[in-house]
Amino acid sequence: MADTTVKRERGSEETNELHCEVKKTKVDDNNGGDGVGAKSQNALSGFKTSNVLSVNAREKRIVLHGKVADEDAVVILEKTPFTEDTMDQVFKGSTLKLDMKNYIYSTYQLQASPHYNEIKTTLVCPATEKHISKYKHQESFFVEETKKDYETITLPFIEDQTTFSLEWVYNILQKKAEVERIVYEDPDPDTGFILLPDFKWNQKQVDDLYLIAIVHRMNIRSLRDLTAEHLPLLVNILQKGQMTILERYSLPSSKLRVYLHYQPSYYHLHVHFTKLGYDAPGCGVERAHLLSDVIQNLQSDPQYYKNRTMYFPLREEDKLLSKFKEAGRL
Amino acid sequence: MADTTVKRERGSEETNELHCEVKKTKVDDNNGGDGVGAKSQNALSGFKTSNVLSVNAREKRIVLHGKVADEDAVVILEKTPFTEDTMDQVFKGSTLKLDMKNYIYSTYQLQASPHYNEIKTTLVCPATEKHISKYKHQESFFVEETKKDYETITLPFIEDQTTFSLEWVYNILQKKAEVERIVYEDPDPDTGFILLPDFKWNQKQVDDLYLIAIVHRMNIRSLRDLTAEHLPLLVNILQKGQMTILERYSLPSSKLRVYLHYQPSYYHLHVHFTKLGYDAPGCGVERAHLLSDVIQNLQSDPQYYKNRTMYFPLREEDKLLSKFKEAGRL
């Protein structure tokens, strides 16, 4: 029973994380003593697609589930990036079809030599149920949550679950875990917080800097709970977070995107700091709320987030989505 | 002189925003009475690259600067997303080369028929300095724009420039170009708009659906101009846009992200419709504003966007950034 109500968790910030290519291992497929080259080639040409697990139009990737002989297989296809030094060859020997022309702009379909336009292909075979479900795209649905919806659907849902899912947050706040990862702490019980790197950041380059500020106060579930009363806390996080990141990573506030999620992944107030220009998962307008905007909105209207209709995406397997469906709100 | 101040233009929605394909316009490049088809085709085959402006490995895009005859030109190449229903054909007639094999995982290079593996190609010719700099990779900076900053920095900047850059918008509104691309039109001069596919969308799959609604009213530059007076227009765009997309693409409103940009790429009010789950460029919290939020904010406070401090990123070569710097605001 507990299992079926497990809530969203750390690191589940984003839906579509499917990078999977393994590359650059040098294998000469002509000399394989075990005949791997020839065998695998046959394997894939005999691949029968049973369904499409996911498509990423932006990254030009598709993941298929099917069979190779009698075995379950997953095939990941991804178009390759352009390489600067082969551009001349791409143009040579290609054909071009005009699509449209308006003013100084014209667009074409270019068909290039296959040699200069390869597709990275990964085969997982035999694939387990786990592989298949990992690569499966879950649809998201935009949900409209009025004040009343929050009180009757979302809040009961959160209260049902908080007991067992925030263990790791308390471990951090109580210094039972990740102590050495703490980048900054303001210990004030009302306005204080702990700043530490998000799991998604390997801390090796600031290009994809990602830090999280977790507040010490225990009673703030999310944006919905915030009123003008919390302004000193929010301003403190913004200012000290920015200051710390400038000192520690030499990144000024003009390079930072500072925001909250709604719905958050876990219902203990936290703030995201990511580098501007890094296309961090979960920084889209459908889920992120700039801390500066939040502060400004609460300054003009202390009850802004209490009364407001909120919009956010939920994935099809999210329990909260079921609750909205049961209530006839979707 | 004027050239150096040319403002942001079509397709510059996002920092790394270089998709530019317009498709599906039926142009028979063999019968162009004006020889457009043939000429443009030759134009591109005679393209000489002088330098690479940017490469986006994640999105499989490259932007080149060079010459066509004696004119400066920018060429944007972007690989196309996979289309589910052509996957069988992609496998057929393709060749496969094994890269590596480890346990149940193996990777290959697949060379597919050019017909199923096209490259979207956009030519801008003659290209201005501004085009070239637009496509060049640049750092972004977060800017804070108070009401006063808008009046003293941004508005004069916009007014300086509008005369010569909206040509292509007027072409669409006056049916001088892209007529056959129009997906829906409400001709009402106050609340009407034209809905058409964005340059970035090739219309072959709804996974990356991207449409733009351009309003008929000529006097609304951006979000900053909106007051409660514009609510009928905004509600009309949201409702009819959603309805049209449901009818035409079978995508319900729970699958759509509908938003405005601030700063926009061009100062004639327009609204973006993208598919939820498609990580569209420019849909980040730092630049996008959900239309539903905009409507709600104007309902509570008719002057919300007039009085508010706005936050947005500007690229290092953006003239507006220089204006903020000159004013000591950065």
Side-chain angles (χ1 to χ4, degrees), chain A residues 25 27 36 40 58-60 77-80 87 99 102 106-111 117-119 121 123 125 139-140 142 254-257 283 285-286 296-297 304 309, chain B residues 21-23 25 40 58-60 78-80 99 104 106 108-111 117-119 121 123 139-140 142 178 254-257 279 283 285-286 296-297 304 309:
Chain A
T25 310
V27 176
V36 156
S40 308
R58 183 170 179 187
E59 301 176 14
K60 286 73 181 179
L77 298 165
E78 183 170 345
K79 301 208 175 174
T80 47
M87 288 317 300
D99 267 331
N102 173 2
S106 43
T107 66
Y108 308 82
Q109 296 167 36
L110 186 148
Q111 297 188 354
N117 193 19
E118 287 181 340
I119 298 170
T121 303
L123 172 68
C125 183
E139 285 285 306
S140 288
F142 230 139
S254 64
K255 293 289 191 183
L256 289 179
R257 188 198 287 119
C283 75
V285 65
E286 66 269 29
Q296 195 174 184
N297 286 330
Y304 188 94
T309 294
Chain B
E21 184 70 356
V22 183
K23 295 249 306 203
T25 308
S40 310
R58 182 175 173 191
E59 301 176 12
K60 287 72 181 178
E78 180 169 347
K79 303 209 175 175
T80 48
D99 266 332
I104 57 171
S106 43
Y108 308 83
Q109 297 164 37
L110 185 147
Q111 297 187 353
N117 194 19
E118 289 181 337
I119 298 171
T121 304
L123 172 68
E139 286 285 305
S140 289
F142 230 138
E178 304 188 42
S254 63
K255 293 293 189 178
L256 289 179
R257 190 197 285 117
D279 202 8
C283 76
V285 66
E286 65 269 31
Q296 194 174 181
N297 286 331
Y304 188 92
T309 294

Coordinates of all heavy atoms in Angstrom, one line a residue, chain A residues 25 27 36 40 58-60 77-80 87 99 102 106-111 117-119 121 123 125 139-140 142 254-257 283 285-286 296-297 304 309, chain B residues 21-23 25 40 58-60 78-80 99 104 106 108-111 117-119 121 123 139-140 142 178 254-257 279 283 285-286 296-297 304 309:
Chain A
T25 N 34.5 3.7 -28.5 CA 35.2 2.5 -28.3 C 35.6 2.1 -29.7 O 34.8 1.9 -30.6 CB 34.4 1.4 -27.7 OG1 33.7 2.0 -26.6 CG2 35.2 0.2 -27.3
V27 N 36.4 -0.3 -32.3 CA 36.2 -1.7 -32.7 C 36.4 -1.8 -34.2 O 35.7 -1.1 -34.9 CB 34.8 -2.3 -32.3 CG1 34.7 -3.7 -32.7 CG2 34.7 -2.2 -30.8
V36 N 31.6 -10.7 -34.2 CA 30.7 -9.8 -33.6 C 30.1 -8.9 -34.7 O 28.9 -8.7 -34.7 CB 31.3 -9.0 -32.5 CG1 30.6 -7.7 -32.2 CG2 31.3 -9.9 -31.2
S40 N 26.1 -8.8 -35.3 CA 25.3 -7.7 -34.8 C 24.6 -7.0 -35.9 O 23.5 -6.5 -35.8 CB 26.2 -6.7 -34.0 OG 27.0 -7.4 -33.1
R58 N 13.7 17.8 -30.3 CA 14.7 18.8 -30.2 C 16.1 18.2 -30.4 O 17.0 18.8 -31.1 CB 14.6 19.5 -28.9 CG 15.6 20.6 -28.7 CD 15.4 21.4 -27.5 NE 16.4 22.5 -27.4 CZ 16.5 23.3 -26.4 NH1 15.7 23.2 -25.3 NH2 17.4 24.2 -26.3
E59 N 16.3 17.0 -29.8 CA 17.6 16.4 -29.9 C 17.7 15.3 -31.0 O 18.7 14.7 -31.1 CB 17.9 15.8 -28.5 CG 17.9 16.9 -27.4 CD 18.2 16.3 -26.0 OE1 18.6 15.2 -25.9 OE2 17.9 17.1 -25.1
K60 N 16.7 15.2 -31.8 CA 16.7 14.3 -32.9 C 17.0 12.9 -32.5 O 18.0 12.3 -33.0 CB 17.6 14.8 -34.0 CG 17.1 16.0 -34.8 CD 17.2 17.3 -34.0 CE 16.7 18.5 -34.7 NZ 16.8 19.7 -33.9
L77 N 18.1 5.6 -31.6 CA 18.7 6.2 -32.8 C 18.8 7.7 -32.5 O 17.9 8.3 -32.0 CB 17.8 6.1 -34.0 CG 17.5 4.6 -34.5 CD1 16.3 4.6 -35.4 CD2 18.8 4.1 -35.2
E78 N 20.0 8.3 -32.8 CA 20.2 9.7 -32.6 C 21.0 10.3 -33.7 O 22.1 9.8 -34.0 CB 20.8 10.0 -31.2 CG 20.9 11.5 -31.0 CD 21.4 11.8 -29.5 OE1 21.3 10.9 -28.7 OE2 21.7 13.0 -29.3
K79 N 20.5 11.4 -34.3 CA 21.3 12.0 -35.4 C 22.5 12.6 -34.8 O 22.6 12.9 -33.6 CB 20.4 13.0 -36.1 CG 19.2 12.4 -36.7 CD 18.6 13.0 -37.9 CE 17.4 12.2 -38.4 NZ 16.7 12.8 -39.5
T80 N 23.6 12.6 -35.6 CA 24.9 13.1 -35.1 C 25.0 14.6 -35.3 O 24.5 15.2 -36.2 CB 26.0 12.4 -35.9 OG1 25.7 12.5 -37.3 CG2 26.1 10.9 -35.5
M87 N 31.9 20.1 -43.5 CA 30.8 20.9 -44.0 C 30.9 21.0 -45.5 O 29.9 21.0 -46.2 CB 30.7 22.3 -43.4 CG 30.2 22.3 -41.9 SD 28.8 21.2 -41.7 CE 27.6 21.9 -42.8
D99 N 11.7 25.1 -50.2 CA 10.4 25.1 -49.5 C 9.7 26.4 -49.6 O 8.5 26.4 -49.9 CB 10.6 24.8 -48.0 CG 10.6 23.3 -47.7 OD1 9.9 22.6 -48.4 OD2 11.2 22.9 -46.7
N102 N 10.6 34.2 -48.5 CA 9.9 35.4 -48.0 C 11.0 36.4 -47.7 O 11.8 36.2 -46.8 CB 9.1 35.1 -46.8 CG 8.5 36.4 -46.2 OD1 8.6 37.5 -46.7 ND2 7.7 36.2 -45.1
S106 N 15.1 32.2 -47.2 CA 14.5 31.0 -47.9 C 14.9 29.7 -47.2 O 15.9 29.7 -46.5 CB 15.0 31.0 -49.4 OG 16.3 31.4 -49.4
T107 N 14.1 28.8 -47.4 CA 14.3 27.5 -46.7 C 14.3 26.3 -47.7 O 13.5 26.4 -48.6 CB 13.3 27.2 -45.5 OG1 12.0 27.1 -46.1 CG2 13.3 28.4 -44.5
Y108 N 15.0 25.3 -47.4 CA 15.2 24.2 -48.2 C 15.2 22.8 -47.5 O 15.4 22.8 -46.3 CB 16.6 24.2 -48.9 CG 16.9 25.5 -49.6 CD1 17.3 26.6 -48.9 CD2 16.7 25.7 -51.0 CE1 17.6 27.8 -49.5 CE2 16.9 26.9 -51.6 CZ 17.4 27.9 -50.9 OH 17.7 29.1 -51.5
Q109 N 15.0 21.8 -48.2 CA 15.3 20.4 -47.7 C 16.6 20.0 -48.4 O 16.6 19.9 -49.6 CB 14.2 19.5 -48.0 CG 12.9 19.8 -47.3 CD 11.7 19.1 -47.8 OE1 11.9 17.9 -48.2 NE2 10.6 19.7 -48.0
L110 N 17.6 19.6 -47.6 CA 18.8 19.2 -48.2 C 19.0 17.7 -47.9 O 18.8 17.2 -46.8 CB 20.0 20.0 -47.5 CG 21.4 19.8 -48.0 CD1 22.1 21.1 -47.8 CD2 22.1 18.7 -47.3
Q111 N 19.3 17.0 -49.0 CA 19.6 15.6 -48.9 C 21.1 15.3 -49.1 O 21.6 15.5 -50.2 CB 18.8 14.8 -49.9 CG 17.3 14.9 -49.6 CD 16.4 14.0 -50.4 OE1 16.9 13.3 -51.3 NE2 15.1 14.0 -50.2
N117 N 26.2 12.1 -43.0 CA 25.0 12.3 -42.2 C 24.5 11.1 -41.5 O 23.4 10.6 -41.7 CB 23.9 12.8 -43.2 CG 22.7 13.4 -42.6 OD1 22.8 13.8 -41.4 ND2 21.6 13.4 -43.3
E118 N 25.4 10.6 -40.6 CA 25.2 9.3 -40.0 C 24.2 9.4 -38.8 O 24.0 10.5 -38.3 CB 26.5 8.7 -39.5 CG 27.3 8.2 -40.7 CD 28.6 7.6 -40.2 OE1 29.1 7.9 -39.1 OE2 29.2 6.8 -41.0
I119 N 23.7 8.3 -38.4 CA 22.8 8.2 -37.2 C 23.5 7.3 -36.2 O 23.8 6.1 -36.5 CB 21.5 7.6 -37.7 CG1 20.8 8.6 -38.7 CG2 20.6 7.4 -36.5 CD1 19.6 8.1 -39.4
T121 N 23.5 4.7 -33.4 CA 22.5 3.7 -33.1 C 23.0 2.8 -32.0 O 24.1 2.3 -32.0 CB 22.3 2.8 -34.4 OG1 21.9 3.7 -35.5 CG2 21.2 1.8 -34.2
L123 N 21.9 -0.5 -29.6 CA 21.0 -1.7 -29.4 C 21.2 -2.3 -28.0 O 22.3 -2.5 -27.6 CB 21.4 -2.7 -30.5 CG 20.7 -4.1 -30.4 CD1 19.2 -4.0 -30.7 CD2 21.3 -5.1 -31.3
C125 N 20.1 -5.6 -26.2 CA 19.4 -6.8 -26.5 C 20.2 -8.0 -25.9 O 21.4 -8.1 -26.1 CB 19.4 -7.0 -28.0 SG 18.5 -8.5 -28.5
E139 N 3.7 10.9 -21.0 CA 3.1 12.1 -21.4 C 2.9 13.0 -20.2 O 2.7 12.6 -19.1 CB 1.7 11.8 -21.9 CG 1.7 11.2 -23.3 CD 2.0 12.2 -24.4 OE1 1.3 13.3 -24.4 OE2 2.9 12.0 -25.2
S140 N 3.0 14.3 -20.4 CA 2.7 15.3 -19.4 C 1.3 16.0 -19.7 O 1.0 16.1 -20.9 CB 3.8 16.3 -19.3 OG 4.9 15.8 -18.7
F142 N -1.0 19.4 -18.7 CA -1.1 20.7 -18.0 C -2.3 20.7 -17.1 O -3.4 20.4 -17.6 CB -1.2 21.8 -19.0 CG -0.3 23.0 -18.8 CD1 0.3 23.6 -19.9 CD2 0.0 23.4 -17.6 CE1 1.2 24.6 -19.7 CE2 0.9 24.4 -17.4 CZ 1.5 25.0 -18.4
S254 N 24.0 38.3 -12.4 CA 23.5 38.5 -13.8 C 23.6 37.2 -14.6 O 23.2 37.1 -15.7 CB 24.2 39.6 -14.5 OG 25.6 39.3 -14.6
K255 N 24.3 36.2 -14.0 CA 24.5 34.9 -14.7 C 23.7 33.8 -14.1 O 23.8 32.6 -14.4 CB 26.0 34.5 -14.6 CG 26.9 35.4 -15.4 CD 26.7 35.2 -16.9 CE 27.8 35.9 -17.7 NZ 27.5 35.7 -19.1
L256 N 22.8 34.2 -13.1 CA 22.1 33.1 -12.4 C 20.6 33.2 -12.6 O 20.0 34.3 -12.7 CB 22.3 33.3 -10.9 CG 23.7 32.9 -10.4 CD1 23.7 33.2 -8.9 CD2 24.0 31.5 -10.7
R257 N 20.0 32.0 -12.7 CA 18.5 31.9 -12.8 C 18.1 31.3 -11.5 O 18.6 30.2 -11.1 CB 18.2 30.9 -13.9 CG 16.8 30.7 -14.3 CD 16.6 29.4 -15.1 NE 17.1 29.5 -16.5 CZ 18.1 28.7 -17.0 NH1 18.7 27.8 -16.2 NH2 18.4 28.7 -18.2
C283 N 13.5 24.1 -15.8 CA 13.6 25.6 -15.8 C 12.6 26.2 -16.7 O 12.6 27.4 -17.0 CB 15.0 26.1 -16.0 SG 15.5 26.0 -17.7
V285 N 9.0 27.6 -18.3 CA 7.9 28.5 -17.7 C 6.8 27.7 -17.1 O 6.1 28.2 -16.3 CB 7.4 29.4 -18.8 CG1 6.7 28.7 -20.0 CG2 6.5 30.5 -18.3
E286 N 6.6 26.4 -17.6 CA 5.4 25.7 -17.1 C 5.6 25.2 -15.6 O 4.7 24.8 -15.0 CB 5.1 24.5 -18.0 CG 6.1 23.4 -18.0 CD 7.2 23.6 -19.1 OE1 7.4 24.8 -19.5 OE2 7.7 22.6 -19.6
Q296 N 8.4 39.9 -5.6 CA 7.7 41.1 -6.1 C 6.1 40.9 -5.9 O 5.4 41.8 -5.5 CB 8.1 41.4 -7.5 CG 7.6 42.7 -8.0 CD 8.1 43.0 -9.4 OE1 7.9 44.1 -9.9 NE2 8.8 42.1 -10.1
N297 N 5.7 39.7 -6.3 CA 4.3 39.4 -6.2 C 3.8 39.5 -4.8 O 2.7 40.0 -4.5 CB 3.9 38.0 -6.8 CG 4.0 38.1 -8.3 OD1 3.8 39.1 -9.0 ND2 4.4 36.9 -8.9
Y304 N -0.9 36.5 -2.7 CA -0.8 36.2 -4.1 C -0.9 34.7 -4.4 O -1.7 34.2 -5.2 CB 0.4 36.8 -4.7 CG 0.6 36.7 -6.2 CD1 0.2 37.8 -7.0 CD2 1.1 35.6 -6.8 CE1 0.3 37.8 -8.4 CE2 1.3 35.6 -8.2 CZ 0.9 36.6 -9.0 OH 1.0 36.6 -10.3
T309 N -4.8 30.9 -9.2 CA -4.9 29.7 -9.9 C -3.5 29.4 -10.5 O -2.8 30.3 -11.1 CB -5.9 29.8 -11.1 OG1 -7.2 30.0 -10.6 CG2 -5.9 28.5 -12.0
Chain B
E21 N 13.6 26.8 -40.1 CA 13.0 26.2 -41.2 C 11.5 26.7 -41.3 O 10.8 26.7 -40.4 CB 13.0 24.7 -41.0 CG 12.4 23.9 -42.2 CD 13.3 24.0 -43.4 OE1 14.3 24.7 -43.4 OE2 12.9 23.4 -44.4
V22 N 11.2 27.0 -42.5 CA 9.7 27.2 -42.9 C 9.5 26.1 -43.8 O 10.3 25.9 -44.7 CB 9.5 28.5 -43.6 CG1 8.0 28.7 -43.8 CG2 10.1 29.7 -42.7
K23 N 8.4 25.4 -43.6 CA 8.2 24.3 -44.6 C 6.8 24.2 -45.0 O 6.0 25.0 -44.7 CB 8.6 23.0 -43.9 CG 10.1 22.9 -43.5 CD 10.8 21.9 -44.3 CE 10.2 20.5 -44.2 NZ 11.1 19.5 -44.6
T25 N 5.3 25.0 -47.3 CA 4.8 25.9 -48.3 C 5.0 25.2 -49.6 O 6.1 24.8 -49.9 CB 5.6 27.2 -48.3 OG1 5.6 27.7 -47.0 CG2 5.0 28.2 -49.2
S40 N 17.6 30.2 -56.3 CA 18.0 29.9 -54.9 C 18.8 28.7 -54.8 O 19.8 28.6 -54.1 CB 16.8 29.8 -54.1 OG 15.9 30.9 -54.3
R58 N 23.8 19.4 -29.1 CA 22.7 18.8 -28.5 C 21.5 18.8 -29.6 O 20.8 17.8 -29.7 CB 22.2 19.6 -27.3 CG 21.0 19.0 -26.6 CD 20.7 19.6 -25.3 NE 19.4 19.1 -24.8 CZ 18.8 19.6 -23.8 NH1 19.2 20.7 -23.2 NH2 17.6 19.1 -23.4
E59 N 21.4 19.9 -30.3 CA 20.3 20.0 -31.2 C 20.6 19.7 -32.7 O 19.8 19.9 -33.6 CB 19.6 21.4 -31.1 CG 19.2 21.7 -29.7 CD 18.6 23.1 -29.4 OE1 18.4 23.8 -30.4 OE2 18.4 23.4 -28.2
K60 N 21.9 19.3 -32.9 CA 22.4 19.0 -34.2 C 22.1 20.1 -35.2 O 21.4 20.0 -36.2 CB 21.7 17.7 -34.7 CG 22.2 16.5 -34.1 CD 21.7 16.3 -32.6 CE 22.2 15.1 -31.9 NZ 21.8 15.0 -30.5
E78 N 20.1 22.2 -39.9 CA 19.7 21.5 -38.8 C 19.1 20.2 -39.2 O 18.2 20.1 -40.1 CB 18.6 22.3 -38.0 CG 18.1 21.6 -36.8 CD 17.3 22.4 -35.8 OE1 17.2 23.6 -36.0 OE2 16.7 21.8 -34.9
K79 N 19.6 19.1 -38.5 CA 19.0 17.8 -38.8 C 17.6 17.7 -38.4 O 17.1 18.4 -37.5 CB 19.9 16.7 -38.1 CG 21.4 16.9 -38.6 CD 22.1 15.6 -38.6 CE 23.5 15.9 -39.2 NZ 24.4 14.7 -39.1
T80 N 16.8 16.9 -39.1 CA 15.4 16.8 -38.8 C 15.1 15.7 -37.8 O 15.8 14.7 -37.7 CB 14.6 16.5 -40.1 OG1 15.3 15.4 -40.7 CG2 14.6 17.7 -41.0
D99 N 30.4 -0.2 -33.8 CA 31.4 0.6 -33.1 C 31.9 -0.2 -31.9 O 33.1 -0.3 -31.7 CB 30.7 1.9 -32.6 CG 30.9 3.0 -33.5 OD1 31.9 3.0 -34.2 OD2 30.1 3.9 -33.5
I104 N 25.1 -6.5 -23.0 CA 23.9 -6.5 -23.8 C 23.8 -5.3 -24.7 O 22.9 -5.0 -25.4 CB 22.6 -6.6 -23.0 CG1 22.5 -5.5 -22.0 CG2 22.5 -8.0 -22.3 CD1 21.1 -5.4 -21.3
S106 N 25.2 -2.7 -27.7 CA 26.1 -2.5 -28.8 C 25.8 -1.2 -29.5 O 24.6 -0.7 -29.5 CB 26.1 -3.7 -29.7 OG 24.8 -4.1 -29.9
Y108 N 26.4 1.4 -33.1 CA 26.7 1.4 -34.5 C 26.6 2.8 -35.1 O 26.1 3.7 -34.5 CB 25.6 0.6 -35.2 CG 25.3 -0.8 -34.7 CD1 24.5 -0.9 -33.6 CD2 25.9 -1.9 -35.3 CE1 24.2 -2.2 -33.1 CE2 25.6 -3.2 -34.8 CZ 24.7 -3.3 -33.7 OH 24.5 -4.5 -33.2
Q109 N 27.2 2.9 -36.3 CA 26.9 4.0 -37.2 C 26.0 3.6 -38.3 O 26.4 2.7 -39.0 CB 28.2 4.6 -37.8 CG 29.2 5.1 -36.7 CD 30.6 5.2 -37.3 OE1 30.8 5.6 -38.4 NE2 31.6 4.9 -36.5
L110 N 24.9 4.2 -38.4 CA 23.9 3.9 -39.4 C 23.9 4.9 -40.5 O 23.8 6.1 -40.2 CB 22.5 3.8 -38.8 CG 21.4 3.3 -39.6 CD1 20.4 2.5 -38.7 CD2 20.6 4.4 -40.2
Q111 N 24.0 4.5 -41.8 CA 23.9 5.4 -42.9 C 22.6 5.1 -43.6 O 22.5 4.1 -44.2 CB 25.1 5.2 -43.8 CG 26.5 5.5 -43.1 CD 27.7 5.6 -44.1 OE1 27.6 5.2 -45.2 NE2 28.8 6.0 -43.5
N117 N 16.5 11.1 -44.3 CA 17.4 11.7 -43.4 C 17.8 13.1 -43.8 O 19.0 13.4 -44.0 CB 18.6 10.8 -43.2 CG 19.5 11.2 -42.0 OD1 19.0 11.8 -41.1 ND2 20.7 10.8 -42.1
E118 N 16.8 14.0 -44.0 CA 17.0 15.3 -44.6 C 17.6 16.3 -43.5 O 17.5 16.1 -42.3 CB 15.7 15.8 -45.1 CG 15.3 15.1 -46.4 CD 14.0 15.6 -47.0 OE1 13.3 16.3 -46.3 OE2 13.8 15.5 -48.2
I119 N 18.1 17.4 -44.1 CA 18.6 18.4 -43.3 C 17.9 19.7 -43.6 O 17.8 20.1 -44.8 CB 20.1 18.6 -43.5 CG1 20.9 17.4 -43.1 CG2 20.7 19.8 -42.8 CD1 22.4 17.3 -43.6
T121 N 17.5 23.4 -44.1 CA 18.5 24.4 -44.5 C 17.8 25.7 -44.7 O 16.8 25.8 -45.4 CB 19.1 23.9 -45.8 OG1 19.7 22.6 -45.6 CG2 20.3 24.9 -46.2
L123 N 18.6 29.8 -45.7 CA 19.5 30.7 -46.3 C 19.0 32.2 -46.0 O 17.9 32.5 -46.2 CB 19.7 30.5 -47.8 CG 20.5 31.6 -48.6 CD1 22.0 31.5 -48.2 CD2 20.3 31.4 -50.1
E139 N 27.3 35.1 -24.8 CA 26.9 35.0 -23.4 C 25.7 35.8 -23.2 O 25.4 36.8 -23.8 CB 28.0 35.6 -22.5 CG 29.3 34.7 -22.4 CD 29.0 33.5 -21.5 OE1 28.6 33.7 -20.3 OE2 29.3 32.4 -21.9
S140 N 24.9 35.3 -22.2 CA 23.7 36.1 -21.8 C 23.8 36.7 -20.4 O 24.6 36.2 -19.6 CB 22.5 35.2 -21.8 OG 22.1 34.8 -23.1
F142 N 21.5 38.5 -17.2 CA 20.1 38.7 -16.6 C 20.0 40.2 -16.3 O 20.9 40.8 -15.7 CB 20.0 38.0 -15.3 CG 18.7 37.2 -15.2 CD1 18.6 36.0 -14.7 CD2 17.5 37.8 -15.7 CE1 17.5 35.2 -14.6 CE2 16.3 37.0 -15.7 CZ 16.3 35.8 -15.2
E178 N 3.5 34.0 -47.3 CA 3.2 32.9 -46.4 C 1.7 32.7 -46.3 O 1.2 32.0 -45.3 CB 3.8 33.1 -45.1 CG 5.3 33.3 -45.1 CD 6.0 33.3 -43.8 OE1 5.6 32.5 -42.9 OE2 6.9 34.2 -43.6
S254 N -4.5 20.6 -22.7 CA -3.7 20.1 -21.6 C -2.3 19.7 -22.1 O -1.4 19.3 -21.3 CB -4.4 19.0 -20.9 OG -4.5 17.9 -21.8
K255 N -2.1 19.8 -23.4 CA -0.8 19.4 -24.0 C -0.1 20.6 -24.5 O 0.9 20.5 -25.3 CB -1.1 18.5 -25.2 CG -1.6 17.1 -24.8 CD -0.6 16.4 -24.0 CE -1.0 15.0 -23.8 NZ 0.1 14.3 -23.1
L256 N -0.6 21.8 -24.3 CA 0.0 23.0 -24.9 C 0.6 24.0 -23.8 O 0.0 24.2 -22.8 CB -1.1 23.8 -25.7 CG -1.6 23.2 -27.0 CD1 -2.6 24.1 -27.6 CD2 -0.4 23.0 -27.9
R257 N 1.7 24.5 -24.2 CA 2.3 25.6 -23.4 C 2.1 26.9 -24.3 O 2.6 26.9 -25.4 CB 3.8 25.3 -23.3 CG 4.7 26.1 -22.4 CD 6.1 25.9 -22.7 NE 6.7 24.6 -22.4 CZ 7.3 23.8 -23.2 NH1 7.2 24.0 -24.5 NH2 7.9 22.7 -22.8
D279 N 10.8 20.6 -25.4 CA 11.7 21.5 -24.8 C 12.0 22.6 -25.7 O 13.2 22.8 -26.1 CB 13.0 20.7 -24.4 CG 13.8 21.2 -23.3 OD1 13.3 22.2 -22.7 OD2 14.9 20.7 -23.1
C283 N 11.5 28.7 -24.0 CA 10.4 28.5 -23.1 C 10.8 28.5 -21.6 O 10.1 28.1 -20.8 CB 9.7 27.2 -23.5 SG 10.5 25.7 -22.9
V285 N 11.9 29.9 -17.9 CA 11.3 30.9 -17.0 C 11.9 32.3 -17.1 O 11.2 33.3 -16.8 CB 11.4 30.4 -15.5 CG1 12.8 30.3 -15.1 CG2 10.5 31.2 -14.6
E286 N 13.1 32.4 -17.6 CA 13.8 33.7 -17.7 C 13.2 34.6 -18.8 O 13.5 35.8 -18.8 CB 15.3 33.5 -17.8 CG 15.8 32.9 -19.1 CD 15.9 31.4 -19.0 OE1 15.2 30.8 -18.2 OE2 16.8 30.9 -19.7
Q296 N -4.5 36.3 -15.9 CA -4.9 36.4 -14.5 C -4.3 37.6 -13.8 O -5.0 38.3 -13.0 CB -4.4 35.1 -13.8 CG -4.9 34.8 -12.5 CD -4.5 33.5 -11.9 OE1 -4.9 33.1 -10.8 NE2 -3.7 32.7 -12.6
N297 N -3.0 37.9 -14.1 CA -2.4 39.1 -13.5 C -3.1 40.4 -13.9 O -3.3 41.3 -13.1 CB -0.9 39.2 -13.9 CG -0.1 38.1 -13.2 OD1 -0.4 37.7 -12.1 ND2 1.0 37.7 -13.8
Y304 N -0.7 45.7 -14.1 CA 0.4 44.8 -13.7 C 1.7 45.0 -14.5 O 2.8 45.1 -13.9 CB -0.1 43.4 -13.7 CG 0.8 42.3 -13.1 CD1 0.6 41.9 -11.8 CD2 1.8 41.7 -13.9 CE1 1.4 40.9 -11.2 CE2 2.6 40.7 -13.3 CZ 2.4 40.3 -12.0 OH 3.1 39.3 -11.5
T309 N 8.6 45.4 -12.2 CA 10.0 45.2 -12.6 C 10.0 43.9 -13.3 O 9.5 42.8 -12.8 CB 10.9 45.2 -11.3 OG1 10.9 46.5 -10.7 CG2 12.3 44.8 -11.7

